[in-house]
Every structure is written in C-alpha cells, then in structure tokens.
Amino acid sequence: MIPFEYRRAEDTDSAVTAVAADPRAVFLAGGTNLVDHLKLGITAPDELVDVTDLPLDAIEDTPEGGLRIGATVRNSDLAASPPVRERYRALSLALLSGASGQLRNRATTGGNLLQRTRCPYFQEITTPCNKRSPGTGCSALHGHNKNHAVLGASDSCVATHPSDMAVAMAALDGTVHVRSDRGERTIPVTELHRLPGEQPHRDTVLERGELITAVDLPPLPTGTYTAYRKVRERASYAFALVSVAAVLRVDNGVIDDVRLAFGGLAHKPWRAETVEERLRGATPAESTFREAAEAELSAARALADNAFKIPLARNTLGAVLRDLTTEAAR
Amino acid sequence: MERPVTLHVDGTVRKVSVDTRTTLLDGLRERLAVTAPKKGCDHGQCGACTVLLDGRRVLACLILAVTCDRSEVTTADGLGDSGSPHPVQRALLEHDGLQCGYCTPGQACSAVGMLDEAKAGWPSAVSGDLRQNVELTEEEIRERMSGNLCRCGAYPNIVAALREAIR
C-alpha cells in the first residue's frame, strides 16, 4: 500500500467536494472490498474520504409506498429490516446469500453496488487485465474462466459482477440516487452498471466524484411474489455461479407482471427482458418457461470452462418461476 | 501518515498512533499486543480475525484502525476470563470444538455475535419464511457460522458446542 490520507466526512457536501478536489481521492464506506484492494495493490488512492458517519443510514417509506434505502445502511441491517423482509423478500434473500455474517455487518448499500469483480486475474496484479490496467489484455479470455461471463461480454473483458444485492435491486426496478459537486441525479439500477465493451475499467456509468446516497424501490402491487435463488459450489459463503432474482404476479391464471434478473452471467445484473416479454400475459407452464429462457440465452457465448452456466441458468430460472407461480396459485 | 486512535479493547482504554494503512487486526496484534484475533488469510475469507466492534461481529483484517477511533473492541480474550469463561467458550471446551485452536478465537467471537443477531430476530439464508423468528437449528448454525473456516474440520463439535451454548 502506498501511504494515504484519511478524512472522516462530516456532511455529504464536504465529502463530495473533497473527492471532487482530488482526482486520487476515493470514498470509503464499509471497506470490505476497498481495503482488500488496497492490500492487493489493485488501487492506490492518496486519500480516503470516509462516508460512514454521513446521515445516509435510514430505511424509510417513500410517499408512493415504496422504500428508500440510505447508501450507508449495512447489508445485515437491510436484510433484517421488517419492510424488506415483508415487502421485498428477494432483496432480503439476496443480501443474506451474500458473503458472511461478519462482512454483512460492515458492507453498505452504496458500497455493495460498487463491489468490483472477483475475476482472479483482476485481483492478481502481476497478470494482464484490461479492467485493472487498460490496454494490457484479458487473461481470462483464454485462461481459467469457469466463473466468467456468458452474456454481454467482449474480447476486452469477460468478468462478472459479483453483487447479489444488485441483482435483486435490478429485478425490483430500483433507482439509484447520486450526488456530486455538480448536483444530484437518479439512475435506474439496471443502467448503473455497464457492459465491458472496449472500456471494461469503467464498471458503472458514475462519473468521478459521484457519491451514491440512496436507492429507491417502487411499491409492489398486492399479490406480487418475489424470490432470489443462488447456485454456487458450496452451501454458503461463495459467489454465485448463477443466480436469479424474480418478481412475479399472476392474475386470473395469467402472468401480469414479471421482472427477472440473472447474476453470475454478465458484467452487470442481467435483466432477462426477452423472458419477461414472452411471459407477460402467458399462462404459467413448464414448456413456456423453458422456451422463454432458451430465447434469452440464445445470445449466450460460452468460454472454454463455463458452458455449464447456460443450462444451469435455464434450469434455475425454470425452478424459480415454477416456485413463484405455484405460490401465487395457492 | 500517523493518526492518534483511542480504542476500548476488552474493557481497557488504549491510545495508539497508527499509520493510516494499519488494519484493526494489525493495530491490535502488532501495536497493542492483543493477540487473540488471529491473522489467517488477511483478505476477509477465513474469519480467524473476527472481533466484536461496538457489539457486532466483524473482520478486523478488512477494517482500517483509523476508522475505529473511540470504538469498543471485544476479542476472544475479553469474552470472559480463565476463571469464568463465556458460555460459548465453555461449550467449545466441553465439546472439543477446537483442534489446533487457531480459528477458535474467531469462532468464539463470531458465535457470540451470531447469537445476538439471532436473539434480535435476524433471519438467515436458510430461514425460509423471513417473517417468522427462527429457531437455531443445526442448519441455521452452520449457515450463520459459515464465515469462519476451520482447516482441522472441527465443525461437528463446534456446532454441537453452539447448540449447547444456546440452551
């Protein structure tokens, strides 16, 4: 680690001003990812601006009946909060399936959205990586790529986004609130993260100095069911090979709202829009689920070690839809 | 870049000046000679460095000491003393929930934090209906303790110990 200054921000304005003033300053929240990156030499800021004392730790109902989640709310508090458990079950399940109890006690909403890939070549600084060192090449493309992307990847980068929480928020149509010294703006969670293209070093559409302050979730109509299922190589404390977040409502035997997102398949939470289009207005049936999943995944491109993810994604999606439509029919 | 930090460690006030790069784990072990939290992977993957920070279980290896000014830190040393160990520590001993013992301080702190979380009604990934309060079954304990790895494989005895500590 190179030496760095540390500043504890007292208010949001001074936090964003401090980072705007110094191109090598970064925000520090829970630190579960950033401190690891400092140790690994992946990043070398000259100042950390600690935002954990900012008044951004509330979970509040919005006037329209949704939920506003402050950026510094801890993952464990969010997963356990009654409104999330009762109204946004998929989000609670996604959070609880991520990391461990100790990490969830530190990790924050804003930080989790900005969690960086676990690609081993990104984390090992002696190997080429376009995400860490632009222009050096992608070691994973022809390396060990069992955990890598099958949707939306490019020859520049095949890394996947690691957050479970973000996948649930993408399916729940969350909106991210962002603040900088230039003002405030909102970004749908589905548009926060980028596909790699030629610029895989840019994980998100955030500009330098922009601070996530909150995430809004819209209300879900009565009779909406949500789920999060994560498939991994051990029972707990592992990143997803494939995950599925789902929001579903059945009315008179017909699916009238369905929103789905995959984790573990792409550089961002992958909204399964093709599946959604095919299922909206359809009668729940195993064959319909399968055909819709196959249409979505026809765009998938496997690498040497990860072809298994394509049928795994199809089957996981089918299982989630089967469970939710059964639950809705009860 | 040195910064003064005051920590309340296992009931004692400790003042120390730390480089901003120092983790809580290194600050405790190298600067304050508090060696109960162990350095295992040093990257948040093994749980050996688990301590209670202001009452919550966390990984000391991924927290910068400078961020902990005026915080209360409880390590496995501070859970109890040799005359009157914490019920979790006593149960770990009685059930032989320790082999080499390296992961044990982290397991003990994690278990104490986990029991408080369960008491507060927090669900886990295996809780099923998230609206109900959970009973700490063996499956629940395994899920909730999954952030603590034991290379000796003492898990069955750790689970048995924690089941007893709950009673």
Side-chain angles (χ1 to χ4, degrees):
Chain A
M1 266 187 252
I2 63 155
F4 51 78
E5 295 281 358
Y6 169 81
R7 175 200 301 240
R8 199 181 281 249
E10 282 162 9
D11 57 70
T12 309
D13 282 341
S14 68
V16 298
T17 306
V19 172
D22 178 356
R24 292 187 58 217
V26 296
F27 296 114
L28 169 72
T32 52
N33 203 204
L34 180 60
V35 174
D36 196 27
H37 286 181
L38 294 173
K39 291 183 184 188
L40 293 168
I42 292 171
T43 186
D46 67 3
E47 181 173 43
L48 304 188
V49 178
D50 187 341
V51 297
T52 49
D53 284 348
L54 300 184
L56 302 173
D57 61 346
I59 303 170
E60 303 165 309
D61 287 330
T62 60
E64 55 272 21
L67 204 63
R68 173 162 296 178
I69 302 156
T72 62
V73 172
R74 306 283 175 181
N75 281 179
S76 51
D77 289 326
L78 186 59
S81 80
V84 176
R85 286 157 73 176
E86 285 157 19
R87 287 149 54 189
Y88 303 99
R89 183 169 184 267
L91 177 57
S92 195
L93 289 174
L95 287 159
L96 293 169
S97 74
S100 64
Q102 291 97 311
L103 287 162
R104 292 192 292 271
N105 273 337
R106 287 296 287 182
T108 63
T109 304
N112 196 305
L113 286 173
L114 301 180
Q115 194 182 357
R116 306 204 71 192
T117 185
R118 302 299 290 202
C119 175
Y121 302 103
F122 172 75
Q123 304 223 93
E124 172 47 63
I125 63 165
T126 62
T127 63
C129 169
N130 288 324
K131 183 180 276 298
R132 177 173 30 75
S133 305
T136 56
C138 174
S139 300
L141 194 58
H142 301 292
H144 294 286
N145 47 39
K146 184 187 67 182
N147 293 316
H148 290 72
V150 294
L151 287 168
S154 71
D155 283 350
S156 295
C157 181
V158 292
T160 53
H161 180 70
S163 166
D164 293 293
M165 184 197 78
V167 177
M169 287 180 169
L172 290 164
D173 274 335
T175 304
V176 182
H177 290 253
V178 171
R179 178 123 156 227
S180 72
D181 64 341
R182 302 176 296 284
E184 297 185 11
R185 65 172 176 144
T186 58
I187 307 164
V189 171
T190 50
E191 292 169 26
L192 176 69
H193 303 95
R194 299 174 65 256
L195 292 178
E198 298 294 310
Q199 293 186 301
H201 58 285
R202 292 191 59 212
D203 291 350
T204 69
V205 300
L206 293 186
E207 302 291 338
R208 251 210 60 74
E210 284 190 316
L211 174 71
I212 294 176
T213 55
V215 177
D216 280 2
L217 300 179
L220 295 176
T222 310
T224 303
Y225 292 86
T226 75
Y228 188 77
R229 184 172 296 195
K230 179 172 179 176
V231 183
R232 46 185 158 181
E233 287 182 300
R234 56 187 190 199
S236 185
Y237 201 18
F239 289 92
L241 293 170
V242 171
S243 70
V244 173
V247 176
L248 182 133
R249 187 168 181 274
V250 178
D251 191 36
N252 284 324
V254 172
I255 297 172
D256 75 341
D257 183 18
V258 57
R259 286 174 270 152
L260 301 160
F262 283 117
L265 298 188
H267 203 247
K268 58 182 285 185
W270 186 269
R271 258 304 270 270
E273 288 171 359
T274 303
V275 182
E276 293 176 11
E277 275 164 33
R278 288 187 174 227
L279 294 185
R280 212 165 281 127
T283 308
E286 203 71 26
S287 57
T288 313
F289 300 158
R290 189 182 180 91
E291 282 159 20
E294 279 175 357
E296 182 82 47
L297 293 162
S298 66
R301 297 285 172 270
L303 301 162
D305 303 332
N306 70 359
F308 72 94
K309 282 192 173 185
I310 299 169
L312 187 62
R314 181 194 66 214
N315 295 346
T316 307
L317 183 72
V320 169
L321 288 170
R322 188 163 60 237
D323 287 356
L324 279 186
T325 51
T326 305
E327 204 177 336
R330 261 191 222 121
Chain B
M1 305 196 183
E2 295 271 322
R3 295 282 289 263
V5 174
T6 301
L7 297 171
H8 298 249
V9 184
D10 295 333
T12 305
V13 176
R14 307 289 299 268
K15 291 180 189 294
V16 64
S17 177
V18 292
D19 186 292
T20 52
R21 295 171 288 182
T22 310
T23 61
L24 176 59
L25 177 62
D26 287 341
L28 289 169
R29 289 184 59 86
E30 309 299 333
R31 302 298 309 283
L32 298 175
V34 177
T35 54
K38 298 294 182 276
K39 186 181 276 198
C41 69
D42 206 26
H43 290 279
Q45 297 173 10
C46 76
C49 67
T50 302
V51 298
L52 301 172
L53 182 64
D54 294 326
R56 290 178 152 212
R57 56 175 173 161
V58 297
L59 300 177
C61 76
L62 291 183
I63 296 173
L64 296 172
V66 69
T67 67
C68 300
D69 191 29
R70 299 190 295 277
S71 295
E72 190 173 312
V73 181
T74 305
T75 74
D77 267 352
L79 293 175
D81 56 51
S82 52
S84 59
H86 187 282
V88 163
Q89 291 172 315
R90 190 188 301 271
L92 282 167
L93 256 175
E94 284 171 1
H95 287 267
D96 193 19
L98 45 146
Q99 286 182 25
C100 87
Y102 197 86
C103 76
T104 311
Q107 300 273 6
C109 285
S110 186
V112 171
M114 180 273 283
L115 293 173
D116 283 346
E117 292 164 9
K119 199 175 284 178
W122 290 12
S124 84
V126 299
S127 299
D129 184 352
L130 300 180
R131 291 164 297 188
Q132 304 283 327
N133 277 352
V134 292
E135 183 195 347
L136 282 182
T137 59
E138 179 167 331
E139 189 192 16
E140 283 280 357
I141 292 170
R142 286 180 180 277
E143 165 60 28
R144 288 165 192 261
M145 292 297 291
S146 66
N148 293 78
L149 307 189
C150 166
R151 294 187 70 166
C152 303
Y155 300 120
N157 291 356
I158 292 170
V159 173
L162 299 187
R163 294 201 74 167
E164 180 178 300
I166 292 159
R167 285 198 291 269

